[in-house]
Amino acid sequence: MRFPNSELQRPSINRVSSNAGNAEYVVGMYALVFVLVMALASLQIMRYKAGSDIAEDALTASALAALDVDPYIYGLSHRIVINDPRAARGIFENALKDNMKLNDAFEPRKADPSYIRGRVTVDDFRVYEVEGDKVTEYTVGSYTVSKTEGICGEMKTPSGKDVRSAGVYAEISYDASGFLGIVVNARKDTYVEMMADPDKVTP
C-alpha cells in the first residue's frame, strides 16, 4: 500500500534558480555601491590635491612679489637689499589676496570656493638679507618687526632651508574641504630667494 506523501520530494529547480538570481543581484548591487564610493573618494582626493597645488602656487607667487629690492643700493654695490621688511609684508598680503581671490578680511570672495573654507591666516613672514657672511633675519608680524643676526651657512628658515641670499619666507594656514566634506586645517609655507651666491650654494 502506497501513501501519497511517502515518496521523497524532489527540490524545485525554479526555487533554486530564483535564490541564485537574488544572490547575484545583491552581490552586484554591493559591487556597484563600492565602485561608486571609490569613484567619489578618488574625485574628492583629486579635488583636494588640485586645491592644494593652487594654494602653493599662489603663496610662492605672492612671496616673489614681496622681494622688493632697492635698485639704488644694488646699482652702487651689487648688494641685494629689500627696501623695507614691513612694506614687503604689505606687498605680500596684497598679492596673496589677488592670487587666492580673497577679500580684505582674507576670506574667499565667492560664497562657495573650491578649496578654501573660512579665513586665510598669515602665520609667519620673514625677510632675509645677506651681506658677506652675515645674515639678518626680520620677523615681521602684524604690528611688530624683530631682528636676528646669524652666520651664512648656519642660518636656516623655519622649514630648515639654508639662507644663501636675500629672500622671503612665508607661512599660511586655512580650512579646506577634505574627504566627504570634512573640514581640515591646511598649512603651507614657501621660501624664495632673489639671487644666490654660487660660492654659497651647497650641493
Side-chain angles (χ1 to χ4, degrees), residues 166-181:
V168 165
Y169 171 85
E171 180 182 345
I172 63 172
S173 62
Y174 58 91
D175 288 337
S177 295
F179 178 62
L180 296 178

Side-chain angles (χ1 to χ4, degrees), residues 39-177:
L40 178 61
S42 299
L43 182 62
Q44 289 287 337
I45 292 172
M46 290 174 61
R47 183 181 179 186
Y48 180 78
K49 181 66 169 60
S52 177
D53 292 342
I54 292 172
E56 289 176 0
D57 291 344
L59 177 61
T60 300
S62 303
L64 285 170
L67 289 172
D68 185 26
V69 175
D70 190 325
Y72 181 74
I73 294 178
Y74 183 76
L76 289 176
S77 61
H78 293 285
R79 177 168 160 247
I80 300 174
V81 176
I82 296 176
N83 273 321
D84 181 357
R86 188 183 295 277
R89 173 162 177 150
I91 295 171
F92 166 77
E93 290 181 346
N94 288 331
L96 187 69
K97 287 187 286 186
D98 288 339
N99 293 328
M100 296 187 75
K101 296 179 174 56
L102 307 174
N103 57 25
D104 290 337
F106 288 89
E107 296 174 345
R109 295 173 189 167
K110 294 183 180 180
D112 186 22
S114 59
Y115 65 99
I116 302 175
R117 293 287 183 270
R119 187 174 186 272
V120 176
T121 303
V122 179
D123 297 316
D124 201 349
F125 184 83
R126 306 187 187 206
V127 172
Y128 295 92
E129 292 181 354
V130 176
E131 183 178 8
D133 291 331
K134 185 179 75 173
V135 179
T136 304
E137 176 190 70
Y138 299 92
T139 303
V140 186
S142 299
Y143 305 102
T144 61
V145 178
S146 61
K147 178 180 175 182
T148 304
E149 293 184 351
I151 300 174
C152 192
E154 297 181 0
M155 177 73 78
K156 297 181 183 295
T157 67
S159 59
K161 294 185 179 179
D162 293 331
V163 177
R164 301 167 298 183
S165 185
V168 165
Y169 171 85
E171 180 182 345
I172 63 172
S173 62
Y174 58 91
D175 288 337
S177 295

Side-chain angles (χ1 to χ4, degrees), residues 31-43:
L32 179 61
V33 170
F34 177 77
V35 170
L36 290 176
V37 169
M38 292 301 296
L40 178 61
S42 299
L43 182 62

